[in-house]
Amino acid sequence: MASYGIALDLGTSGFRSHLVDLDKGGKILSTAVTVRHPLPGANIMDHLHFWMTSGSEIGHKIIMKTVDDVIRLHGADNIKQIKKVAICGNPIQLSLFENIEVRDLAFAGENRLKNLGVVRPSRRGHTRNAGDIGMLSIDAEAEVIIPPAIRHEIGADALAMIMRSGMLDKKEICMVTDYGTNAEMGLYHDGELYSGSAAAGPAMEGQSIKYGVLAAPHAISDVNIAEDGLWENLVLNDKLRPIAASKVDPVTGREVKLLDYSAKGITGTGVVSSVAMGLKAGVIKLPEITTPDKRIHLMDGVWFSEQDAQEAGKAMGAIRAGHRTLVHEVGINDEDIKVMYMAGASGTYVDPIKAQICGMIPRRLEEVYQLGNTSLMMAHELISNNDTLDRMQSVADSISANHIMFAGNKVFEDMYVLELAYWTEGMSMEMYNDMIQLYGIAALPELKVPSKVVRVVKSDIPEIGRGFYSLEDVGMKMYGRFTGCNGCGKCEKQCPEDALKVTRTKDANEICVRSDLCLGTACKACEMNCPLKVYHFKDLEVQI
């Protein structure tokens, strides 16, 4: 009987997995992903806040149920033969998966942690049994491999992109970023790693965008301006490779099909490309889109609005602010950074030149390498090679690391205020540079196109196996019956994501909230708009 394993990337915007054949050296058999993260909220801090206010019990049930659903996508016949699971992700996601202490990741002050009685858990590499973690469908004795963090706030995902890039062997000053909802970034200089994490927001993963989707088949991943002035739309095919499928007039929507292949939405990289090409063509003059209907038209009726452009701008602005904060804190200049490594789906499919226009990579580079989903790759390596966990721990122990907290950092705050003004209020780049110098930060240098651009992989998930499966119904439903609720339905009407439904019965009025659609404790429009003040979001429960 064959032995199988699951490689699992726990991302901030969703989960990605491989089913692998352990008897054939870790051969990838199939790939399964979720279209969203199962916990309420739009970013990692929302997930943390939900976990701490609603309780770890409900949060862990939601995560375990989602992991189980993802594993089942690979085929029910394979489940009982799963002997190993390897996971990778940032420290928060791995801690939520294990259901261990997270408050040391939520609060920076040591005095605050001491007053709360928080004891930091070990985040060294280790293994556990699936049953101990609460995994539902696989053998309780199956081994779960959990990789180390470099420091408690610099996780296995950062370690994965550092190791997969090979940047530690470079003599030049290097920067690496995993582009996503939570943009993990590092600057390697003079034998030391300086890291930071910018809450870029979900636009980098195609979320909070009208037609936004995660990187999957039938998603627009890139646009180019053709010689005839039409915009060439590139769509991910069934192997997650970008193909030119259509040419569209971005102003009128007139379309010329190149292939019989449809689009269902736009990824974060497609968003970046649309902004970059819009700026180049003059269709975008920040903060406005200049077309008659204020939309940029793409293929198959997909369009991109001014609100979408501003959401993207906030995300791209947070990334540029993070990069420049690292540069400033380390005490080097933009021109000193020679090599850039781009990880994640958005780091793989985006054109680096367009990313440079939008501020997602430094402006004076010599080399750019696009790496793919290094977190999932490392999870696959962990499950395929018994020496990998020890090797990761060795590298983690050898890195002298300095983590710069962007929250509360004056340079980051000043930078991000200017980024918001540039992207959402139309501040000119000239005024931007004048203002930034008043803050004691160097002005942005002139753009220099990198002389070398290497896409190391053809897609962010280089191998998908015999099938690609997508979980649309993510997470769980949370229920609540509240004494005094009259079933007026105002909470349902005020939910911006249509995540809430009210069911009225003779006995009681029941509120049901989809965890994956809900914006969580950062929103709570439902609770705030309850006219009788009887509805409390934290009291919702899940049912299994």
Side-chain angles (χ1 to χ4, degrees):
M1 183 178 292
S3 295
Y4 297 137
I6 293 288
L8 184 62
D9 166 37
L10 301 174
T12 305
S13 60
F15 300 165
R16 297 164 179 83
S17 68
H18 288 315
L19 175 71
V20 303
D21 190 330
L22 298 178
D23 298 328
K24 295 183 179 179
K27 179 183 178 181
I28 295 171
L29 301 177
S30 57
T31 300
V33 305
T34 69
V35 298
R36 288 174 295 276
H37 196 283
L39 291 183
N43 56 54
I44 194 67
M45 297 313 296
D46 291 345
H47 299 160
L48 261 182
H49 196 191
F50 171 79
W51 190 271
M52 292 188 294
T53 55
S54 293
S56 61
E57 182 180 359
I58 180 174
H60 195 246
K61 283 181 180 178
I62 292 171
I63 287 179
M64 288 296 102
K65 169 67 162 51
T66 305
V67 169
D68 184 62
D69 289 342
V70 170
I71 290 174
R72 288 182 180 279
L73 287 180
H74 291 288
D77 292 341
N78 303 320
I79 289 177
K80 295 306 179 184
Q81 295 165 250
I82 294 172
K83 305 302 180 185
K84 280 187 180 180
V85 176
I87 65 172
C88 198
N90 65 44
I92 293 174
Q93 297 296 346
L94 297 196
S95 298
L96 301 184
F97 174 84
E98 279 200 88
N99 198 14
I100 62 175
E101 179 66 76
V102 295
R103 289 175 296 173
D104 62 317
L105 302 171
F107 304 113
E110 291 297 330
N111 288 335
R112 177 74 183 277
L113 296 176
K114 185 177 180 180
N115 291 335
L116 291 171
V118 174
V119 177
R120 292 189 192 277
S122 171
R123 291 192 170 88
R124 296 183 64 81
H126 60 284
T127 62
R128 295 181 63 182
N129 289 340
D132 294 338
I133 296 174
M135 299 186 74
L136 301 174
S137 58
I138 67 174
D139 187 340
E141 298 301 314
E143 180 184 33
V144 181
I145 305 168
I146 300 169
I150 301 174
R151 282 178 34 174
H152 80 280
E153 72 277 77
I154 310 174
D157 57 341
L159 183 58
M161 66 181 178
I162 289 165
M163 292 177 66
R164 298 286 304 190
S165 71
M167 64 185 292
L168 298 182
D169 298 325
K170 285 277 188 180
K171 294 180 180 179
E172 302 93 338
I173 298 176
C174 305
M175 182 172 277
V176 61
T177 298
D178 189 341
Y179 294 89
T181 302
N182 199 54
E184 307 283 353
M185 56 189 68
L187 193 159
Y188 191 64
H189 169 53
D190 200 21
E192 292 198 64
L193 175 71
Y194 300 84
S195 69
S197 179
M204 284 298 95
E205 299 281 3
Q207 300 180 48
S208 292
I209 302 294
K210 172 65 176 178
Y211 285 97
V213 293
L214 292 178
H218 299 279
I220 300 169
S221 64
D222 196 5
V223 295
N224 295 306
I225 300 177
E227 291 183 1
D228 57 8
L230 298 180
W231 284 25
E232 182 184 65
N233 285 227
L234 279 73
V235 180
L236 298 181
N237 67 11
D238 294 341
K239 293 187 179 294
L240 298 183
R241 309 278 173 83
I243 54 173
S246 182
K247 292 202 297 185
V248 184
D249 185 325
V251 177
T252 66
R254 179 176 64 86
E255 182 173 353
V256 178
K257 281 282 190 180
L258 302 177
L259 294 173
D260 184 19
Y261 199 80
S262 63
K264 66 177 183 180
I266 182 171
T267 66
T269 58
V271 168
V272 174
S273 294
S274 296
V275 172
M277 293 298 93
L279 291 169
K280 181 178 179 179
V283 179
I284 296 178
K285 292 185 178 179
L286 295 172
E288 298 180 349
I289 291 177
T290 60
T291 61
D293 61 358
K294 303 297 184 182
R295 296 174 178 175
I296 292 175
H297 295 271
L298 303 173
M299 66 179 289
D300 291 333
V302 175
W303 47 260
F304 187 76
S305 70
E306 287 183 350
Q307 182 178 350
D308 293 336
Q310 292 191 16
E311 285 296 321
K314 293 174 187 177
M316 295 184 293
I319 292 169
R320 178 155 61 188
H323 285 167
R324 305 222 59 225
T325 299
L326 289 181
V327 168
H328 183 86
E329 294 288 352
V330 173
I332 61 175
N333 299 315
D334 294 74
E335 294 84 353
D336 295 328
I337 303 172
K338 304 301 183 184
V339 183
M340 182 75 200
Y341 296 98
M342 306 175 71
S346 293
T348 303
Y349 296 119
V350 71
D351 183 323
I353 310 306
K354 295 168 188 168
Q356 198 173 39
I357 292 171
C358 294
M360 292 173 60
I361 63 175
R363 295 164 71 89
R364 308 286 294 180
L365 290 167
E366 294 180 358
E367 302 175 15
V368 177
Y369 296 88
Q370 297 174 275
L371 306 174
N373 187 329
T374 53
S375 185
L376 181 57
M377 291 178 197
M378 189 56 77
H380 177 245
E381 193 172 332
L382 278 166
I383 209 165
S384 305
N385 189 328
N386 293 331
D387 297 331
T388 301
L389 184 62
D390 290 339
R391 186 162 55 89
M392 289 186 75
Q393 188 64 64
S394 177
V395 174
D397 292 340
S398 70
I399 295 176
S400 175
N402 303 277
H403 189 68
I404 298 170
M405 297 291 294
F406 292 157
N409 182 285
K410 186 67 166 56
V411 174
F412 182 84
E413 289 177 356
D414 289 341
M415 282 288 309
Y416 192 55
V417 167
L418 291 178
E419 290 291 336
L420 289 177
Y422 173 75
W423 289 106
T424 67
E425 298 175 17
M427 173 186 276
S428 69
M429 185 53 70
E430 182 181 12
M431 183 178 291
Y432 176 105
N433 274 328
D434 288 342
M435 290 295 297
I436 202 171
Q437 290 176 90
L438 289 177
Y439 292 141
I441 306 169
L444 289 173
E446 291 295 319
L447 280 174
K448 173 192 173 186
V449 175
S451 58
K452 182 178 182 180
V453 174
V454 178
R455 180 170 285 176
V456 179
V457 294
K458 294 181 179 179
S459 60
D460 77 308
I461 304 177
E463 289 187 61
I464 62 173
R466 65 194 176 205
F468 182 90
Y469 309 106
S470 179
L471 183 66
E472 302 284 339
D473 188 7
V474 183
M476 299 180 70
K477 291 178 179 178
M478 304 184 294
Y479 298 91
R481 292 186 176 187
F482 300 96
T483 302
C485 172
N486 63 5
C488 70
K490 193 167 185 181
C491 54
E492 180 176 333
K493 295 174 185 176
Q494 293 297 321
C495 178
E497 301 298 318
D498 293 326
L500 186 152
K501 299 295 179 186
V502 178
T503 301
R504 300 165 183 84
T505 66
K506 292 182 179 180
D507 299 327
N509 299 306
E510 185 172 68
I511 292 171
C512 174
V513 177
R514 277 188 56 172
S515 69
D516 61 322
L517 298 181
C518 175
L519 293 177
T521 48
C523 172
K524 293 205 291 189
C526 48
E527 181 175 312
M528 290 187 291
N529 285 284
C530 176
L532 301 177
K533 305 303 178 187
V534 298
Y535 170 42
H536 301 290
F537 181 81
K538 67 179 180 61
D539 292 332
L540 294 172
E541 297 179 348
V542 297
Q543 300 173 3
I544 293 184

